[in-house]
């Protein structure tokens, strides 16, 4: 029998207690980024509450997934941005979208934003694929 996983928002003071388990997960997600953030870059903002850490687990011994969110205040609206999401068994996380949407609404957000690989579309079929972010490295021009 499959056990449903539930997402849990951690208090900033609790972040250090799970960091050893969460950091390697976030490192796996960072491999798919453009090098903007490494796991250690999250620790201070998560500990101060500037960012939020979510975990999903079946039991107290094993965290299956971790997610970092942050409120972004655009001039015309406030959104909850999912900055990093990593782990296993995402399909088993019960009410993931409902929990995150409720949290965002509670804090005055009108949307949720996720920058991710195209593969996320399979898990988020009711999300609009609003735009693609294109990047170009310029380091070769900095020397």
């Amino acid at each position: 029998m499959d056990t449903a996983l539930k997402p849990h928002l951690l208090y900033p003071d609790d972040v250090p207690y799970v960091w050893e388990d969460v950091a390697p997960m976030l490192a796996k997600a960072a491999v798919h980024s453009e090098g903007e953030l490494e796991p250690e870059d999250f620790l201070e903002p998560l500990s101060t509450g500037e960012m939020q850490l979510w975990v999903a687990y079946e039991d107290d011994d094993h965290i299956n997934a971790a997610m970092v969110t942050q409120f972004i205040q655009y001039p015309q609206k406030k959104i909850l941005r999912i900055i990093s999401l990593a782990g296993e068994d995402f399909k088993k996380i019960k009410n993931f979208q409902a929990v995150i949407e409720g949290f965002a609404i509670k804090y005055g957000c009108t949307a949720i934003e996720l920058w991710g690989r195209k593969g996320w579309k399979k898990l988020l079929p009711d999300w609009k694929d609003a735009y693609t972010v294109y990047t170009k490295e310029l380091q070769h021009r900095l020397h």
Side-chain angles (χ1 to χ4, degrees):
M1 178 176 103
D2 281 342
T3 305
L5 307 175
K6 290 180 69 179
H8 299 276
L9 175 62
L10 299 183
Y11 290 108
D13 291 343
D14 293 333
V15 170
Y17 299 110
V18 300
W19 190 247
E20 209 172 282
D21 296 320
V22 169
M25 285 184 203
L26 297 176
K28 288 179 183 177
V31 170
H32 301 287
S33 74
E34 293 296 316
E36 301 91 346
L37 295 164
E38 292 293 330
E40 59 269 12
D41 299 323
F42 294 124
L43 190 53
E44 184 178 338
L46 289 171
S47 297
T48 63
E50 181 185 332
M51 293 180 181
Q52 303 79 40
L53 179 62
W54 301 76
V55 296
Y57 53 86
E58 288 181 71
D59 56 55
D60 292 335
D61 296 332
H62 180 70
I63 295 173
N64 295 67
M67 178 175 67
V68 176
T69 59
Q70 182 178 31
F71 295 112
I72 304 295
Q73 183 65 59
Y74 288 112
Q76 302 300 319
K77 67 181 187 178
K78 181 178 180 181
I79 59 106
L80 181 67
R81 178 179 293 160
I82 299 172
I83 297 175
S84 185
L85 180 55
E88 55 195 47
D89 298 326
F90 291 112
K91 291 181 181 179
K92 290 172 57 177
I93 300 175
K94 183 179 180 185
N95 298 326
F96 163 72
Q97 289 192 56
V99 170
I100 301 305
E101 288 171 11
F103 176 77
I105 290 167
K106 177 180 177 180
Y107 288 95
C109 297
T110 58
I112 299 173
E113 183 176 275
L114 168 84
W115 292 11
R117 297 178 294 146
K118 290 182 181 183
W120 280 109
K121 185 64 176 164
K122 291 181 281 189
L123 292 174
L124 305 169
D126 63 332
W127 286 47
K128 183 172 107 177
D129 202 355
Y131 51 85
T132 302
V133 177
Y134 293 93
T135 62
K136 179 180 180 181
E137 290 296 325
L138 298 175
Q139 289 186 1
H140 67 282
R141 297 197 48 199
L142 296 175
H143 302 289

